[in-house]
DNA sequence: AATATTTATCGTAATATTACAATATAAAAT
DNA sequence: ATTTTATATTGTAATATTACGATAAATATT
């Protein structure tokens, strides 16, 4: 096996898991944090920032893009990347929701 | 290859990526959501709730436990699981931090 | 004590992910 | 036009993940 049984879960569960998973790698966390740090879009500078080969970085960028976490606009020779706020908001509100539900729990054990 | 190059990233980046990754699977999302839904700890009921074989569920529970997302207390014959609030808080504040930083950005392009 | 119940572990097959060299593509600069 | 620069794609090796049958371990029930 090895293939996730997505058909056994709800669409929402699969969607949030896919979004979360896209950030479940230090290189992709580093990419997001770098985009955040420079405080603007970045056109052609990400590869030099990461300790990985260019095809590997390109692959990670593709995954973040597919998941909707970043947007990429072609800017002449380079590609201009930035974070997609909507995806971050989704993640934030998802965990905020869990957190607030947890706060209301009775905590009978544990 | 196939092995993540954790040594090239910061401890913080690796730690948050590991935590995030543990929720990057619909089965584990479903487990957390179930624990949230029942509004209390669950002793011996998770396997029946999920559309997966018992060893698979056990494996997913182990991953959530290793990541610190859930706690498990032995309760006689069964094991009593519940969400670890601290881990959820970490996730929540991480994304809240990204979100607030994003809000302050100039958005020069994209 | 024997049996049932619950969860964990082992072994393993199928698939996915990670990483990178080699190469391709496409626009910019010379 | 040729070369340089920036990114993507292809191919592939190494490793990780997912899933589950078989089995073990540990407590509960009879």
């Amino acid at each position: 096996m090895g293939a996730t049984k997505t058909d056994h879960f709800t669409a929402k569960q699969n969607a949030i898991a896919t979004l979360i998973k896209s950030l479940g790698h230090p290189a992709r966390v580093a990419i997001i944090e770098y985009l955040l740090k420079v405080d603007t879009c970045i056109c052609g500078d990400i590869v030099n920032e990461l300790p990985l080969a260019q095809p590997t970085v390109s692959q990670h960028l593709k995954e973040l893009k597919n998941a909707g976490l970043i947007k990429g606009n072609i800017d002449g020779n380079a590609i201009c990347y930035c974070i997609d706020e909507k995806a971050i908001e989704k993640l934030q509100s998802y965990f905020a929701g869990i957190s607030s539900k947890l706060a209301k729990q009775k905590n009978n054990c544990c």
Side-chain angles (χ1 to χ4, degrees), chain A:
Chain A
M1 329 252 144
T4 294
K5 288 196 161 181
T6 54
D7 51 318
H8 289 152
F9 302 98
T10 70
K12 276 194 179 184
Q13 287 169 340
N14 284 314
I16 195 72
T18 299
L19 185 58
I20 292 173
K21 190 180 181 184
S22 73
L23 255 184
H25 190 287
R28 297 194 287 271
V29 165
I31 289 171
I32 293 294
E33 290 183 352
Y34 180 63
L35 284 173
L36 214 59
K37 193 186 89 182
V38 294
D39 201 35
T40 176
C41 297
I42 278 303
C43 307
D45 199 20
I46 293 183
V47 169
N48 300 325
E49 272 300 310
L50 292 186
L52 295 168
Q54 180 269 323
T56 308
V57 174
S58 189
Q59 198 172 265
H60 283 304
L61 286 168
K62 195 179 178 183
E63 277 179 70
L64 285 171
K65 214 170 160 186
N66 285 344
L69 260 162
I70 62 174
K71 292 180 286 187
N73 292 67
I74 296 170
D75 175 28
N77 203 14
I79 290 196
C80 196
Y81 283 111
C82 60
I83 297 175
D84 191 332
E85 290 183 58
K86 285 179 190 174
I88 298 293
E89 272 164 33
K90 267 187 207 169
L91 288 167
Q92 193 200 350
S93 73
Y94 183 72
F95 288 111
I98 293 181
S99 207
S100 77
K101 275 180 199 164
L102 264 185
K104 288 172 195 158
Q105 273 198 191
K106 296 141 198 161
N107 264 36
N108 301 343
C109 59
C110 295

